[in-house]
Amino acid sequence: MRYDDWQCEVLEDIALEVNSYNPLVRENVRYSEFVSKSQGRGRKRRREREIRLVTWRGKTWSIGNRLTQGLEFLMQDIFPEEMAMNSELDWLAAFLEALRNLPKNRK
């Protein structure tokens, strides 16, 4: 085993250990975002729109620019407001940032 291979393996193990303490990883929260080019139901969409989805316990929520009641209940369970206290961002923006920083390939 080469030194570089060993070093990469150790860094991956450290990243896995750090991520195991993340409540979003422990709760198996999934996040995806994409740009929709769909026209919808018979409507003409003149511009693309960004779609952000979070999945937890088999249910998927859409994340918009405002904090809805359903999304607030979800965030209270998996991302309490105390977790955003260290950030200069508001609660929803801190939640989105945490979701974007989730590891991509989890086991």
Side-chain angles (χ1 to χ4, degrees):
M1 180 179 270
R2 292 184 19 213
Y3 176 74
D4 293 337
D5 295 336
W6 174 82
Q7 187 178 19
C8 288
E9 191 175 311
V10 168
L11 290 175
E12 288 174 5
D13 288 343
I14 290 171
L16 273 170
E17 183 69 24
V18 167
N19 287 328
S20 69
Y21 293 106
N22 185 335
L24 298 174
V25 172
R26 279 188 279 144
E27 289 288 337
N28 200 22
V29 175
R30 302 284 183 199
Y31 176 72
S32 62
E33 62 183 359
F34 56 93
V35 176
S36 173
K37 297 178 183 179
S38 169
Q39 291 186 359
R41 294 183 173 174
R43 287 173 264 150
K44 293 191 178 198
R45 189 172 309 282
R46 290 188 171 84
R47 61 175 197 241
E48 302 169 345
R49 63 185 179 134
E50 183 179 312
I51 306 294
R52 297 178 295 195
L53 302 172
V54 65
T55 303
W56 180 57
R57 294 186 177 172
K59 188 166 180 183
T60 302
W61 288 268
S62 175
I63 301 175
N65 295 329
R66 293 178 299 147
L67 187 61
T68 62
Q69 187 177 12
L71 186 59
E72 184 177 357
F73 288 140
L74 166 76
M75 289 172 59
Q76 287 173 354
D77 288 339
I78 60 174
F79 194 79
E81 202 164 357
E82 295 81 37
M83 292 179 69
M85 293 297 182
N86 301 359
S87 174
E88 61 273 354
L89 303 171
D90 66 339
W91 190 23
L92 181 59
F95 180 57
L96 283 173
E97 187 66 28
L99 289 172
R100 287 184 179 125
N101 291 332
L102 284 175
K104 298 293 182 212
N105 49 358
R106 292 182 281 168
K107 295 184 179 176

